[in-house]
Amino acid sequence: MSRLKTIESRMTYRMARKEQEVFLRSDFNDLGNYDSIGRVLSKLINQGKIIKIGYGLYAKATISPLSSQVIPRKGLPELATEALQRLKVEVVPSSYEKAYNAGLTMQVPTGRVIAVKERIARKIGYSGKYISFEHAP
């Protein structure tokens, strides 16, 4: 394997090797300084390789065959759950999921509401679609 020389090539290589869909900006701190990492992330966003889903949160992206827009490879609820786990926030079933699973309602939960055990002030989403959080005791 040839030596990867640029920060961009090292970041791209690292993202391709990982199975996870969500990356934190801090995942690349060992490759360069804050500004250079930010420039490379912006470039990758402009190329459509990744999409920003929150402050310091990025997801692998693809082009939608329907709208030709850049979208994440996985759904927003899955990305948000993975991002919260990476941020060490405990995720539990929401009240909507509990009611559905208990047979109290026939409305299928969309997954846009995620229950967390602690306070969270982040916005996770893209293109005007965001996850809501509910506090679980």
Side-chain angles (χ1 to χ4, degrees):
M1 182 177 87
S2 66
R3 176 108 169 99
L4 298 173
K5 296 188 185 331
T6 66
I7 294 173
E8 180 181 354
S9 62
R10 288 186 279 173
M11 286 174 65
T12 305
Y13 180 72
R14 187 176 288 181
M15 284 189 276
R17 286 187 41 136
K18 298 280 185 181
E19 289 184 18
Q20 61 200 24
E21 292 291 316
V22 175
F23 296 94
L24 306 174
R25 184 184 186 119
S26 60
D27 291 344
F28 307 108
N29 283 348
D30 61 322
L31 300 179
N33 64 28
Y34 186 86
D35 291 335
S36 60
I37 298 298
R39 280 192 295 276
V40 172
L41 288 170
S42 294
K43 185 175 182 182
L44 293 174
I45 289 170
N46 291 336
Q47 292 173 353
K49 294 182 180 178
I50 61 174
I51 188 167
K52 186 172 183 170
I53 59 169
Y55 181 76
L57 295 172
Y58 301 88
K60 293 179 182 177
T62 187
I63 304 294
S64 169
L66 301 174
S67 65
S68 301
Q69 299 291 322
V70 177
I71 59 169
R73 296 190 331 183
K74 286 194 174 177
L76 190 53
E78 294 173 74
L79 292 175
T81 302
E82 183 179 337
L84 291 170
Q85 289 170 347
R86 298 275 329 271
L87 295 168
K88 299 185 178 20
V89 174
E90 187 178 353
V91 177
V92 295
S94 69
S95 60
Y96 301 108
E97 292 174 48
K98 288 179 184 175
Y100 179 74
N101 290 336
L104 301 176
T105 181
M106 293 185 60
Q107 289 186 329
V108 179
T110 62
R112 292 276 172 94
V113 176
I114 295 178
V116 292
K117 287 276 191 176
E118 56 197 70
R119 183 183 174 277
I120 184 161
R122 283 185 178 261
K123 287 176 82 173
I124 299 177
Y126 66 96
S127 298
K129 302 175 200 99
Y130 292 97
I131 293 290
S132 300
F133 301 105
E134 76 177 7
H135 181 71

